[in-house]
Amino acid sequence: EPFPTFPDGFLWGVASAAYQVEGAVDEDGRGRSVWDTFCAEPGRVLDGATGAVAADHYHRYREDVALLRDLGVGAYRFSIAWPRVVPAGSGAVNPAGLDFYDRLVDELCAAGIAPAATLFHWDTPQALEDAGGWLSRGTAQRFGEYAAVVGERLGDRVRMWMPLNEPVVVTMFGYALGHHAPGRALGFQALPAAHHQLLGHGLAVQALRAAGCTGIGIASNHGPVWPASGSEDDESAAETYSALVNWLFADPVLRGEYPAPELTALIPGPVAADLATIAQPLDWFGVNYYRPTRVGAAGGGGERDVEGAMLPPGLPFEPRRITEYPLTDFGWPIVPEGLAETVRMFRERYGDALPPLYITESGCSFHDPDPVDGRVPDQARIDYHDAHLRALHRAITEGADVRGYFAWAATDNFEWAAGYRERFGLVHVDYETQRRTPKDSYHWYRSIIQR
Ligand code: FCB
């Protein structure tokens, strides 16, 4: 089958995030973030890795933008490090931090690439975490203030804005299970962290609009939840799980309500008024898609998640392995059709209330060989993106309004608790020399974009 033709104006992009690529954590007045703290705690991150140097993007952004220009992408999704701009999370703004993003944005514009900025890709200023982090309502207010500062400085050039990246992962991994910074394992008591991120999103959208910014959306992680069997118990477990990981984060934004009223009992504050703030009209909605999950009713002894980590006791569902699909080297099932299914479930649930969609992330980790003669053969990564784009095209053919696709990631980078072993990039990074080598997937993506 020849590669399908996407609609005119379809946006081809790649993505990254500040802590995963920048390094330079102590430079130009950057404050500490929860990830600096988390990485310093023994046993938290594979091999004791940290983002202190990462892909050294802070110093090499010109080289990286040149690679993006040659790749031919229409947009580059990056994140702005809150602790560079407001080192203590509130109060004084750090001009040198803002200057970095000003230079990056100018460099992108000069290369003809639309800047797409995430305001929060998980690097909460440590000073705010010390005051409760996202469990505290104040963090949402501080986030709105920070958004105003960035919007005023970059709003004339940034074309797409995403206040949040994947609030579900911050809530679950950061506050409920503790696999990610800030490493809290609060179970359902983590729900306020979801609510305050969503409130922060709403306040940030208001602040960005007030600063004259346009093209405002979100980058939210979603995927199908498959019941382990057709039994009523398994189906209802899957529905509960999907409410928690999908609709808890999309319904407030797109409908101004929570999917399960019993959840709101765990959320402090004026929830109804907050929901009105959260449901700011968006210009588009961004879906990060990696994989479906399968869950069954609790009671089968599955007290570990699919990656083997302990789950808190007493959950009304349990994850089951998806075994009938090939896996990436990270162990994630490769299910291209799951992307189309995700798009379909959004169309079904929200109908006319759904703004245009972008796929703001999709990608895979393979443990690529080192470059030989300037080449990194990574056919498996090509196959991944090829198959996901074909599935996405089928969804578009069915009538879905999907406007673009951002491959995760531009370059190899720091993969959170998994450190540097996982490689998601279209460009290989040798972390000893910081040499960049475009992989075969980079050349393939370039040819797709050029068509
Ligand atoms: C997503 C994150 C991104 C990256 C990919 C692999 O959940 O948004 O930062 O780590 O997973």
Short mmCIF file of all heavy atoms in Angstrom, two decimals, residues 352-411:
data_model
loop_
_atom_site.label_atom_id
_atom_site.label_comp_id
_atom_site.label_asym_id
_atom_site.label_seq_id
_atom_site.Cartn_x
_atom_site.Cartn_y
_atom_site.Cartn_z
N ASP A 352 -19.91 17.47 18.41
CA ASP A 352 -19.62 18.80 17.88
C ASP A 352 -18.83 19.67 18.84
O ASP A 352 -18.31 20.71 18.45
CB ASP A 352 -20.94 19.53 17.54
CG ASP A 352 -21.66 18.87 16.38
OD1 ASP A 352 -20.98 18.12 15.63
OD2 ASP A 352 -22.88 19.09 16.22
N ALA A 353 -18.79 19.26 20.11
CA ALA A 353 -18.04 20.06 21.09
C ALA A 353 -16.53 19.81 21.00
O ALA A 353 -15.75 20.46 21.70
CB ALA A 353 -18.53 19.75 22.50
N LEU A 354 -16.13 18.88 20.13
CA LEU A 354 -14.70 18.56 20.02
C LEU A 354 -14.01 19.52 19.06
O LEU A 354 -14.37 19.61 17.90
CB LEU A 354 -14.53 17.11 19.51
CG LEU A 354 -13.11 16.58 19.45
CD1 LEU A 354 -12.51 16.46 20.85
CD2 LEU A 354 -13.05 15.23 18.74
N PRO A 355 -13.01 20.26 19.55
CA PRO A 355 -12.27 21.12 18.62
C PRO A 355 -11.37 20.27 17.73
O PRO A 355 -11.24 19.06 17.94
CB PRO A 355 -11.45 22.02 19.56
CG PRO A 355 -11.36 21.31 20.85
CD PRO A 355 -12.51 20.35 20.93
N PRO A 356 -10.73 20.86 16.74
CA PRO A 356 -9.79 20.10 15.91
C PRO A 356 -8.74 19.41 16.78
O PRO A 356 -8.33 19.96 17.81
CB PRO A 356 -9.13 21.17 15.03
CG PRO A 356 -10.09 22.30 15.01
CD PRO A 356 -10.84 22.27 16.31
N LEU A 357 -8.34 18.22 16.36
CA LEU A 357 -7.35 17.46 17.13
C LEU A 357 -5.96 17.60 16.50
O LEU A 357 -5.82 17.75 15.29
CB LEU A 357 -7.72 15.97 17.15
CG LEU A 357 -8.99 15.55 17.87
CD1 LEU A 357 -9.25 14.06 17.65
CD2 LEU A 357 -8.88 15.85 19.37
N TYR A 358 -4.97 17.54 17.36
CA TYR A 358 -3.60 17.30 16.92
C TYR A 358 -3.10 16.09 17.69
O TYR A 358 -3.48 15.90 18.85
CB TYR A 358 -2.68 18.49 17.25
CG TYR A 358 -2.83 19.65 16.30
CD1 TYR A 358 -3.83 20.60 16.52
CD2 TYR A 358 -2.00 19.81 15.21
CE1 TYR A 358 -3.98 21.68 15.67
CE2 TYR A 358 -2.14 20.88 14.35
CZ TYR A 358 -3.14 21.82 14.58
OH TYR A 358 -3.29 22.88 13.72
N ILE A 359 -2.26 15.28 17.07
CA ILE A 359 -1.54 14.26 17.82
C ILE A 359 -0.25 14.95 18.27
O ILE A 359 0.66 15.17 17.46
CB ILE A 359 -1.27 13.00 16.98
CG1 ILE A 359 -2.60 12.47 16.39
CG2 ILE A 359 -0.57 11.94 17.82
CD1 ILE A 359 -3.73 12.25 17.40
N THR A 360 -0.21 15.30 19.55
CA THR A 360 0.90 16.12 20.04
C THR A 360 2.11 15.27 20.45
O THR A 360 3.17 15.82 20.72
CB THR A 360 0.43 17.02 21.20
OG1 THR A 360 -0.57 16.33 21.96
CG2 THR A 360 -0.18 18.30 20.67
N GLU A 361 1.93 13.94 20.53
CA GLU A 361 3.04 13.01 20.71
C GLU A 361 2.61 11.63 20.26
O GLU A 361 1.49 11.20 20.54
CB GLU A 361 3.47 12.84 22.19
CG GLU A 361 4.25 13.97 22.77
CD GLU A 361 4.65 13.72 24.24
OE1 GLU A 361 4.79 12.55 24.66
OE2 GLU A 361 4.80 14.73 24.95
N SER A 362 3.53 10.94 19.61
CA SER A 362 3.45 9.49 19.44
C SER A 362 4.86 9.06 19.10
O SER A 362 5.57 9.77 18.39
CB SER A 362 2.47 9.11 18.32
OG SER A 362 2.33 7.69 18.27
N GLY A 363 5.26 7.92 19.62
CA GLY A 363 6.64 7.50 19.35
C GLY A 363 6.98 6.23 20.08
O GLY A 363 6.14 5.63 20.77
N CYS A 364 8.22 5.79 19.92
CA CYS A 364 8.62 4.48 20.43
C CYS A 364 10.10 4.52 20.81
O CYS A 364 10.89 5.23 20.21
CB CYS A 364 8.42 3.44 19.34
SG CYS A 364 9.21 3.90 17.79
N SER A 365 10.44 3.71 21.79
CA SER A 365 11.85 3.56 22.15
C SER A 365 12.37 2.24 21.62
O SER A 365 11.78 1.18 21.87
CB SER A 365 12.02 3.58 23.67
OG SER A 365 13.33 3.16 24.00
N PHE A 366 13.45 2.32 20.87
CA PHE A 366 14.22 1.13 20.51
C PHE A 366 15.67 1.39 20.89
O PHE A 366 16.14 2.52 20.80
CB PHE A 366 14.07 0.81 19.02
CG PHE A 366 12.70 0.29 18.69
CD1 PHE A 366 11.76 1.12 18.09
CD2 PHE A 366 12.34 -1.01 19.00
CE1 PHE A 366 10.48 0.64 17.80
CE2 PHE A 366 11.06 -1.49 18.71
CZ PHE A 366 10.13 -0.66 18.12
N HIS A 367 16.33 0.35 21.34
CA HIS A 367 17.72 0.51 21.77
C HIS A 367 18.62 0.44 20.54
O HIS A 367 19.20 -0.60 20.24
CB HIS A 367 18.07 -0.55 22.81
CG HIS A 367 17.15 -0.50 24.01
ND1 HIS A 367 17.05 -1.51 24.93
CD2 HIS A 367 16.29 0.46 24.45
CE1 HIS A 367 16.17 -1.19 25.87
NE2 HIS A 367 15.69 0.00 25.59
N ASP A 368 18.69 1.55 19.85
CA ASP A 368 19.38 1.61 18.57
C ASP A 368 20.86 1.29 18.71
O ASP A 368 21.48 1.57 19.74
CB ASP A 368 19.27 3.03 17.98
CG ASP A 368 17.83 3.49 17.88
OD1 ASP A 368 17.03 2.78 17.28
OD2 ASP A 368 17.51 4.58 18.42
N PRO A 369 21.45 0.76 17.63
CA PRO A 369 22.90 0.58 17.63
C PRO A 369 23.60 1.94 17.55
O PRO A 369 22.99 2.93 17.14
CB PRO A 369 23.14 -0.22 16.35
CG PRO A 369 21.99 0.13 15.46
CD PRO A 369 20.81 0.36 16.38
N ASP A 370 24.86 1.96 17.95
CA ASP A 370 25.63 3.19 17.78
C ASP A 370 25.79 3.49 16.29
O ASP A 370 25.77 2.57 15.47
CB ASP A 370 27.03 3.03 18.40
CG ASP A 370 26.94 2.98 19.93
OD1 ASP A 370 25.94 3.49 20.47
OD2 ASP A 370 27.86 2.42 20.56
N PRO A 371 25.95 4.76 15.96
CA PRO A 371 26.12 5.11 14.55
C PRO A 371 27.36 4.45 13.95
O PRO A 371 28.39 4.35 14.62
CB PRO A 371 26.31 6.63 14.58
CG PRO A 371 25.83 7.08 15.91
CD PRO A 371 25.96 5.93 16.85
N VAL A 372 27.22 3.98 12.73
CA VAL A 372 28.37 3.48 11.97
C VAL A 372 28.38 4.23 10.65
O VAL A 372 27.37 4.24 9.94
CB VAL A 372 28.24 1.96 11.72
CG1 VAL A 372 29.38 1.49 10.80
CG2 VAL A 372 28.24 1.19 13.02
N ASP A 373 29.50 4.87 10.36
CA ASP A 373 29.62 5.68 9.13
C ASP A 373 28.45 6.66 8.99
O ASP A 373 27.87 6.80 7.92
CB ASP A 373 29.67 4.77 7.88
CG ASP A 373 30.92 3.90 7.89
OD1 ASP A 373 31.93 4.31 8.49
OD2 ASP A 373 30.85 2.79 7.33
N GLY A 374 28.10 7.28 10.11
CA GLY A 374 27.07 8.32 10.06
C GLY A 374 25.66 7.80 9.87
O GLY A 374 24.76 8.55 9.51
N ARG A 375 25.47 6.50 10.11
CA ARG A 375 24.13 5.93 9.92
C ARG A 375 23.64 5.21 11.16
O ARG A 375 24.43 4.52 11.82
CB ARG A 375 24.17 4.93 8.77
CG ARG A 375 23.29 5.33 7.59
CD ARG A 375 23.02 4.12 6.70
NE ARG A 375 21.77 3.45 7.05
CZ ARG A 375 21.42 2.27 6.57
NH1 ARG A 375 22.23 1.61 5.76
NH2 ARG A 375 20.27 1.73 6.93
N VAL A 376 22.36 5.37 11.46
CA VAL A 376 21.72 4.57 12.51
C VAL A 376 20.50 3.89 11.90
O VAL A 376 19.48 4.54 11.68
CB VAL A 376 21.30 5.43 13.72
CG1 VAL A 376 20.62 4.58 14.78
CG2 VAL A 376 22.49 6.17 14.31
N PRO A 377 20.61 2.61 11.57
CA PRO A 377 19.46 1.92 10.98
C PRO A 377 18.41 1.64 12.06
O PRO A 377 18.71 0.99 13.06
CB PRO A 377 20.04 0.62 10.43
CG PRO A 377 21.36 0.44 11.09
CD PRO A 377 21.79 1.73 11.71
N ASP A 378 17.21 2.17 11.89
CA ASP A 378 16.15 1.97 12.90
C ASP A 378 14.82 1.71 12.21
O ASP A 378 13.84 2.43 12.41
CB ASP A 378 16.07 3.17 13.86
CG ASP A 378 15.67 4.46 13.17
OD1 ASP A 378 15.85 4.58 11.94
OD2 ASP A 378 15.14 5.36 13.86
N GLN A 379 14.81 0.65 11.42
CA GLN A 379 13.61 0.29 10.65
C GLN A 379 12.38 0.14 11.57
O GLN A 379 11.28 0.50 11.19
CB GLN A 379 13.85 -1.00 9.86
CG GLN A 379 12.73 -1.36 8.90
CD GLN A 379 12.48 -0.29 7.83
OE1 GLN A 379 13.45 0.30 7.31
NE2 GLN A 379 11.22 -0.01 7.54
N ALA A 380 12.59 -0.36 12.78
CA ALA A 380 11.45 -0.57 13.67
C ALA A 380 10.77 0.76 14.01
O ALA A 380 9.54 0.82 14.15
CB ALA A 380 11.90 -1.26 14.96
N ARG A 381 11.55 1.82 14.14
CA ARG A 381 10.96 3.13 14.44
C ARG A 381 10.22 3.67 13.21
O ARG A 381 9.16 4.29 13.32
CB ARG A 381 12.04 4.10 14.92
CG ARG A 381 11.49 5.42 15.45
CD ARG A 381 12.57 6.29 16.10
NE ARG A 381 13.03 5.78 17.38
CZ ARG A 381 14.14 5.09 17.56
NH1 ARG A 381 14.95 4.85 16.54
NH2 ARG A 381 14.47 4.66 18.76
N ILE A 382 10.79 3.44 12.04
CA ILE A 382 10.10 3.83 10.80
C ILE A 382 8.75 3.09 10.73
O ILE A 382 7.71 3.71 10.47
CB ILE A 382 10.96 3.48 9.56
CG1 ILE A 382 12.23 4.34 9.55
CG2 ILE A 382 10.16 3.66 8.27
CD1 ILE A 382 13.21 3.99 8.43
N ASP A 383 8.79 1.80 10.98
CA ASP A 383 7.56 1.01 10.90
C ASP A 383 6.52 1.53 11.89
O ASP A 383 5.32 1.57 11.59
CB ASP A 383 7.85 -0.47 11.20
CG ASP A 383 8.69 -1.12 10.10
OD1 ASP A 383 8.81 -0.51 9.00
OD2 ASP A 383 9.25 -2.20 10.34
N TYR A 384 6.98 1.90 13.09
CA TYR A 384 6.06 2.42 14.11
C TYR A 384 5.34 3.67 13.58
O TYR A 384 4.10 3.74 13.58
CB TYR A 384 6.83 2.74 15.40
CG TYR A 384 5.95 3.38 16.45
CD1 TYR A 384 5.39 2.63 17.49
CD2 TYR A 384 5.65 4.75 16.40
CE1 TYR A 384 4.57 3.22 18.43
CE2 TYR A 384 4.83 5.34 17.34
CZ TYR A 384 4.28 4.58 18.35
OH TYR A 384 3.46 5.16 19.27
N HIS A 385 6.11 4.65 13.15
CA HIS A 385 5.48 5.92 12.73
C HIS A 385 4.66 5.71 11.46
O HIS A 385 3.57 6.27 11.31
CB HIS A 385 6.54 7.00 12.54
CG HIS A 385 7.07 7.53 13.84
ND1 HIS A 385 6.33 8.28 14.71
CD2 HIS A 385 8.29 7.37 14.43
CE1 HIS A 385 7.05 8.59 15.78
NE2 HIS A 385 8.25 8.05 15.64
N ASP A 386 5.19 4.90 10.56
CA ASP A 386 4.46 4.61 9.32
C ASP A 386 3.08 4.02 9.65
O ASP A 386 2.05 4.49 9.15
CB ASP A 386 5.28 3.63 8.46
CG ASP A 386 4.57 3.25 7.17
OD1 ASP A 386 4.71 3.99 6.18
OD2 ASP A 386 3.86 2.22 7.17
N ALA A 387 3.05 3.04 10.51
CA ALA A 387 1.79 2.36 10.82
C ALA A 387 0.84 3.29 11.59
O ALA A 387 -0.38 3.28 11.36
CB ALA A 387 2.06 1.10 11.63
N HIS A 388 1.38 4.10 12.49
CA HIS A 388 0.51 5.00 13.25
C HIS A 388 -0.05 6.10 12.35
O HIS A 388 -1.21 6.50 12.50
CB HIS A 388 1.26 5.57 14.46
CG HIS A 388 1.38 4.57 15.58
ND1 HIS A 388 2.21 3.48 15.50
CD2 HIS A 388 0.74 4.47 16.77
CE1 HIS A 388 2.08 2.74 16.61
NE2 HIS A 388 1.20 3.33 17.40
N LEU A 389 0.75 6.56 11.42
CA LEU A 389 0.23 7.59 10.50
C LEU A 389 -0.82 7.01 9.57
O LEU A 389 -1.82 7.68 9.26
CB LEU A 389 1.40 8.20 9.70
CG LEU A 389 2.20 9.23 10.51
CD1 LEU A 389 3.55 9.52 9.85
CD2 LEU A 389 1.39 10.53 10.68
N ARG A 390 -0.63 5.77 9.13
CA ARG A 390 -1.66 5.15 8.29
C ARG A 390 -2.97 4.98 9.07
O ARG A 390 -4.06 5.23 8.53
CB ARG A 390 -1.18 3.79 7.77
CG ARG A 390 -0.13 3.90 6.68
CD ARG A 390 0.47 2.53 6.38
NE ARG A 390 1.65 2.65 5.55
CZ ARG A 390 1.66 2.56 4.22
NH1 ARG A 390 0.54 2.32 3.58
NH2 ARG A 390 2.78 2.71 3.55
N ALA A 391 -2.86 4.58 10.32
CA ALA A 391 -4.07 4.45 11.15
C ALA A 391 -4.74 5.80 11.34
O ALA A 391 -5.97 5.93 11.26
CB ALA A 391 -3.72 3.83 12.50
N LEU A 392 -3.91 6.81 11.57
CA LEU A 392 -4.46 8.16 11.74
C LEU A 392 -5.16 8.61 10.46
O LEU A 392 -6.24 9.22 10.50
CB LEU A 392 -3.32 9.13 12.10
CG LEU A 392 -3.75 10.54 12.45
CD1 LEU A 392 -4.64 10.56 13.69
CD2 LEU A 392 -2.51 11.43 12.69
N HIS A 393 -4.56 8.28 9.33
CA HIS A 393 -5.17 8.66 8.06
C HIS A 393 -6.53 7.99 7.88
O HIS A 393 -7.47 8.61 7.36
CB HIS A 393 -4.23 8.30 6.90
CG HIS A 393 -4.73 8.80 5.58
ND1 HIS A 393 -5.53 8.06 4.74
CD2 HIS A 393 -4.59 10.02 5.00
CE1 HIS A 393 -5.83 8.78 3.68
NE2 HIS A 393 -5.28 9.98 3.80
N ARG A 394 -6.65 6.75 8.34
CA ARG A 394 -7.95 6.08 8.26
C ARG A 394 -8.99 6.85 9.08
O ARG A 394 -10.12 7.04 8.65
CB ARG A 394 -7.86 4.63 8.76
CG ARG A 394 -7.20 3.70 7.74
CD ARG A 394 -7.43 2.23 8.10
NE ARG A 394 -6.68 1.79 9.28
CZ ARG A 394 -5.40 1.43 9.25
NH1 ARG A 394 -4.69 1.48 8.13
NH2 ARG A 394 -4.78 1.04 10.36
N ALA A 395 -8.59 7.31 10.26
CA ALA A 395 -9.52 8.08 11.10
C ALA A 395 -9.92 9.37 10.39
O ALA A 395 -11.08 9.79 10.46
CB ALA A 395 -8.88 8.38 12.45
N ILE A 396 -8.98 9.99 9.71
CA ILE A 396 -9.28 11.24 8.98
C ILE A 396 -10.24 10.94 7.84
O ILE A 396 -11.19 11.69 7.59
CB ILE A 396 -7.97 11.89 8.47
CG1 ILE A 396 -7.13 12.37 9.66
CG2 ILE A 396 -8.27 13.04 7.51
CD1 ILE A 396 -5.75 12.88 9.30
N THR A 397 -10.03 9.83 7.17
CA THR A 397 -10.91 9.44 6.07
C THR A 397 -12.34 9.22 6.57
O THR A 397 -13.31 9.50 5.85
CB THR A 397 -10.38 8.14 5.42
OG1 THR A 397 -9.03 8.36 5.07
CG2 THR A 397 -11.16 7.79 4.18
N GLU A 398 -12.45 8.75 7.81
CA GLU A 398 -13.79 8.57 8.39
C GLU A 398 -14.44 9.90 8.78
O GLU A 398 -15.58 9.92 9.23
CB GLU A 398 -13.69 7.73 9.68
CG GLU A 398 -13.32 6.29 9.46
CD GLU A 398 -12.85 5.62 10.76
OE1 GLU A 398 -13.00 6.23 11.84
OE2 GLU A 398 -12.32 4.51 10.66
N GLY A 399 -13.68 10.98 8.68
CA GLY A 399 -14.26 12.28 8.98
C GLY A 399 -13.65 13.02 10.15
O GLY A 399 -14.07 14.13 10.48
N ALA A 400 -12.65 12.41 10.81
CA ALA A 400 -12.05 13.09 11.96
C ALA A 400 -11.26 14.31 11.50
O ALA A 400 -10.60 14.28 10.46
CB ALA A 400 -11.12 12.14 12.71
N ASP A 401 -11.36 15.38 12.28
CA ASP A 401 -10.63 16.61 11.96
C ASP A 401 -9.31 16.62 12.74
O ASP A 401 -9.22 17.15 13.83
CB ASP A 401 -11.50 17.82 12.34
CG ASP A 401 -10.86 19.14 11.94
OD1 ASP A 401 -9.78 19.11 11.30
OD2 ASP A 401 -11.43 20.20 12.26
N VAL A 402 -8.31 15.98 12.16
CA VAL A 402 -6.99 15.91 12.80
C VAL A 402 -6.04 16.74 11.96
O VAL A 402 -5.89 16.51 10.77
CB VAL A 402 -6.47 14.45 12.90
CG1 VAL A 402 -5.17 14.42 13.68
CG2 VAL A 402 -7.50 13.55 13.56
N ARG A 403 -5.39 17.70 12.59
CA ARG A 403 -4.64 18.71 11.83
C ARG A 403 -3.13 18.52 11.81
O ARG A 403 -2.43 19.26 11.13
CB ARG A 403 -4.94 20.10 12.43
CG ARG A 403 -6.41 20.46 12.51
CD ARG A 403 -6.89 21.14 11.25
NE ARG A 403 -8.34 21.37 11.30
CZ ARG A 403 -8.90 22.56 11.62
NH1 ARG A 403 -8.15 23.59 11.91
NH2 ARG A 403 -10.22 22.69 11.61
N GLY A 404 -2.63 17.57 12.64
CA GLY A 404 -1.17 17.43 12.62
C GLY A 404 -0.70 16.30 13.50
O GLY A 404 -1.49 15.72 14.28
N TYR A 405 0.59 15.97 13.38
CA TYR A 405 1.21 14.84 14.08
C TYR A 405 2.60 15.25 14.51
O TYR A 405 3.41 15.69 13.68
CB TYR A 405 1.27 13.66 13.12
CG TYR A 405 1.91 12.38 13.63
CD1 TYR A 405 1.14 11.40 14.28
CD2 TYR A 405 3.27 12.11 13.43
CE1 TYR A 405 1.70 10.21 14.71
CE2 TYR A 405 3.84 10.91 13.86
CZ TYR A 405 3.05 9.96 14.50
OH TYR A 405 3.62 8.77 14.91
N PHE A 406 2.86 15.13 15.80
CA PHE A 406 4.20 15.44 16.33
C PHE A 406 4.85 14.13 16.76
O PHE A 406 4.38 13.46 17.68
CB PHE A 406 4.10 16.35 17.54
CG PHE A 406 3.69 17.77 17.23
CD1 PHE A 406 2.36 18.09 16.99
CD2 PHE A 406 4.64 18.79 17.17
CE1 PHE A 406 1.97 19.40 16.71
CE2 PHE A 406 4.26 20.11 16.89
CZ PHE A 406 2.93 20.40 16.66
N ALA A 407 5.93 13.76 16.10
CA ALA A 407 6.66 12.56 16.49
C ALA A 407 7.43 12.86 17.78
O ALA A 407 8.12 13.88 17.89
CB ALA A 407 7.63 12.14 15.39
N TRP A 408 7.29 11.98 18.76
CA TRP A 408 8.15 12.02 19.93
C TRP A 408 9.28 11.06 19.66
O TRP A 408 8.98 9.86 19.50
CB TRP A 408 7.39 11.63 21.21
CG TRP A 408 8.30 11.72 22.39
CD1 TRP A 408 9.14 10.74 22.88
CD2 TRP A 408 8.54 12.88 23.19
NE1 TRP A 408 9.87 11.21 23.93
CE2 TRP A 408 9.53 12.52 24.15
CE3 TRP A 408 8.03 14.19 23.20
CZ2 TRP A 408 10.01 13.44 25.09
CZ3 TRP A 408 8.51 15.08 24.15
CH2 TRP A 408 9.48 14.69 25.08
N ALA A 409 10.53 11.49 19.53
CA ALA A 409 10.97 12.82 19.87
C ALA A 409 11.94 13.30 18.78
O ALA A 409 12.40 12.52 17.97
CB ALA A 409 11.70 12.79 21.22
N ALA A 410 12.26 14.59 18.83
CA ALA A 410 13.23 15.12 17.89
C ALA A 410 14.56 14.37 18.05
O ALA A 410 15.06 13.73 17.13
CB ALA A 410 13.41 16.62 18.11
N THR A 411 15.13 14.46 19.23
CA THR A 411 16.41 13.77 19.51
C THR A 411 16.21 12.79 20.66
O THR A 411 15.25 12.89 21.42
CB THR A 411 17.50 14.76 19.97
OG1 THR A 411 17.08 15.37 21.20
CG2 THR A 411 17.77 15.83 18.93
#
